[in-house]
């Protein structure tokens, strides 16, 4: 939600960049997983990153590796 993202945090610093990047990354990871039939190594290769990096980012972004609707 962009209205939430644009809000300033408690310490007066914006987290705009961090929040937008997480939204974009989450979308890219979901697209890569769908395109690779949910094979993480293939999805990682599609994005041009290492499979371990891909898996770590998936966990950080809260993405499950199962067929998403």
């Amino acid at each position: 939600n962009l209205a939430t993202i644009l809000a300033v945090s408690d310490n007066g610093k914006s987290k705009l960049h961090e929040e937008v990047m997480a939204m974009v990354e989450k979308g890219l990871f979901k697209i890569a997983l769908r395109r690779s039939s949910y094979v993480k190594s293939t999805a990682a290769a599609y994005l041009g990153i290492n499979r371990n990096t891909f898996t770590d980012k998936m966990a950080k972004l809260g993405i499950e590796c199962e067929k998403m609707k």
Side-chain angles (χ1 to χ4, degrees):
N1 184 341
L2 286 177
T4 302
I5 291 171
L6 294 174
V8 176
S9 67
D10 291 337
N11 63 4
K13 293 184 180 179
S14 172
K15 291 191 172 191
L16 179 62
H17 181 266
E18 181 181 325
E19 295 292 330
V20 170
M21 291 305 294
M23 287 172 37
V24 170
E25 279 186 320
K26 196 168 189 172
L28 286 174
F29 275 55
K30 287 180 177 182
I31 290 167
L33 284 165
R34 283 188 203 112
R35 289 184 61 122
S36 68
S37 299
Y38 302 90
V39 176
K40 287 189 250 182
S41 57
T42 305
Y46 174 72
L47 294 178
I49 61 175
N50 179 283
R51 187 190 67 79
N52 290 335
T53 302
F54 183 86
T55 302
D56 291 344
K57 275 283 200 185
M58 276 183 58
K60 188 175 184 179
L61 294 169
I63 300 171
E64 300 287 327
C65 190
E66 55 188 64
K67 291 189 178 180
M68 294 169 254
K69 295 178 183 181

